[in-house]
Amino acid sequence: MTWVPMDLLKRYAAGERDFRSANLAGADLVKADLSEANLRGANLSGAKLLGASLIGTNLREANLRNANLQANLQEANLTGADLTGVDLREAKLQTANLRGANLTNAICVAADFSEASLSEANLRGADLSRAKLAEAALNRANLTDAILNGAMLEAANLTNAILQGAALELANLTNAIMNGAILELANLQGAHLSRARLSGATLIKANLSGANLRGANLSWTTLRGANLSRANLYRANLSWANLSEGNLQEAILIDAKLNQVNFRNTSLIGAIMPNGRTYE
């Protein structure tokens, strides 16, 4: 059913909440209050929702392609929603459910996804620069070529996530769970990865120059051809890791676990080894 925005807002004000499958394509809903409304399966493609209140709103499987969602979506249900190309700049999405949602090429700069569920979501090419994703669930999410520079991902769950070619420069991944994640060709220059769990992760040709990996678990990790120059690996666990053809020049490896590490053709010039001596 096609709705005129003004009629919908009047009926909402009168207490009606069920607007499932509503057709609101291109609707002007700037600063509208639709909190707790049921818009499951609704068509909101191209809609203008700048400043709208959508707290706890059910937008499951809704079409929000290219919509302006610079709104308050705290606790909203966006499971399986189509958010392709959506504008979520500075949006509030704390504890929202975006499991399996499609956010391809979405603009999420400085958006707050703290404790949100993005499991299995498609974030390919999304711009999440400076986004807050602390304790967010991103397991099995597709973040191929996503931009996460300066993002806050502390204690986020990125188990088996795909981050191939992702930009994570200066990102905060302290205590992040990244076991089995694919980070091939990712840029993690200067990233904070202290105590991060990266067991079994793939970091082929990744850039970790100057990264803080203090106490990180990199056991069984593939780092072939990776750049770890000047990285801080103090007390990191690199047991059984593949560091062949990599660059560890001037890296700090004091008290690091290096059992069965593959250092074939790796440059260690200037690296400070577990015994405190500089490699020459």
Side-chain angles (χ1 to χ4, degrees):
M1 177 179 179
T2 301
W3 285 85
V4 176
M6 190 58 66
D7 291 342
L8 181 142
L9 293 173
K10 285 181 179 179
R11 293 177 72 162
Y12 177 89
E16 189 172 343
R17 293 294 181 269
D18 193 355
F19 306 106
R20 72 186 76 181
S21 301
N23 185 358
L24 291 157
D28 186 346
L29 292 162
V30 174
K31 295 184 179 180
D33 184 358
L34 290 166
S35 297
E36 305 291 342
N38 183 5
L39 286 159
R40 178 170 182 167
N43 182 3
L44 287 150
S45 58
K48 301 176 184 65
L49 289 148
L50 177 66
S53 179
L54 297 161
I55 301 170
T57 302
N58 184 4
L59 289 155
R60 185 184 182 103
E61 298 164 1
N63 179 359
L64 290 148
R65 292 175 69 95
N66 301 313
N68 185 327
L69 264 180
Q70 293 175 271
N72 189 342
L73 290 142
Q74 294 177 70
E75 301 179 11
N77 184 357
L78 290 145
T79 304
D82 187 353
L83 295 150
T84 304
V86 74
D87 188 346
L88 281 162
R89 280 176 291 182
E90 299 183 4
K92 298 176 182 178
L93 293 124
Q94 298 97 315
T95 68
N97 189 350
L98 295 106
R99 186 182 183 93
N102 186 359
L103 291 107
T104 303
N105 296 324
I107 303 170
C108 308
V109 177
D112 193 342
F113 291 92
S114 300
E115 299 182 47
S117 175
L118 290 145
S119 299
E120 301 174 4
N122 185 358
L123 291 142
R124 188 182 187 107
D127 189 348
L128 291 144
S129 302
R130 304 190 311 283
K132 296 177 183 177
L133 291 144
E135 298 184 46
L138 288 149
N139 45 303
R140 297 183 299 281
N142 185 353
L143 289 144
T144 302
D145 296 326
I147 302 170
L148 291 142
N149 294 328
M152 168 62 76
L153 288 145
E154 187 170 0
N157 184 353
L158 289 144
T159 303
N160 296 323
I162 303 171
L163 293 132
Q164 189 167 6
L168 290 145
E169 191 170 349
L170 299 176
N172 187 345
L173 289 146
T174 304
N175 292 315
I177 304 169
M178 305 175 75
N179 298 324
I182 299 173
L183 291 134
E184 185 173 356
L185 297 171
N187 182 8
L188 291 137
Q189 186 173 4
H192 302 277
L193 290 143
S194 56
R195 299 180 302 282
R197 288 178 256 175
L198 288 144
S199 183
T202 301
L203 289 130
I204 297 171
K205 295 184 179 179
N207 183 3
L208 290 143
S209 177
N212 182 2
L213 290 144
R214 183 185 179 106
N217 184 359
L218 293 146
S219 58
W220 299 96
T221 300
T222 303
L223 287 146
R224 190 173 68 251
N227 181 4
L228 287 147
S229 58
R230 300 182 305 282
N232 183 356
L233 290 150
Y234 176 74
R235 290 191 174 178
N237 183 359
L238 289 151
S239 299
W240 302 96
N242 183 352
L243 285 155
S244 60
E245 301 172 15
N247 179 1
L248 277 95
Q249 293 182 25
E250 300 180 23
I252 299 170
L253 292 155
I254 297 173
D255 290 341
K257 295 180 181 178
L258 301 174
N259 303 324
Q260 301 299 320
V261 174
N262 184 349
F263 280 122
R264 184 175 57 85
N265 296 326
T266 299
S267 177
L268 290 156
I269 297 171
I272 303 175
M273 304 307 286
N275 59 10
R277 295 182 179 178
T278 301
Y279 190 91
E280 296 179 0

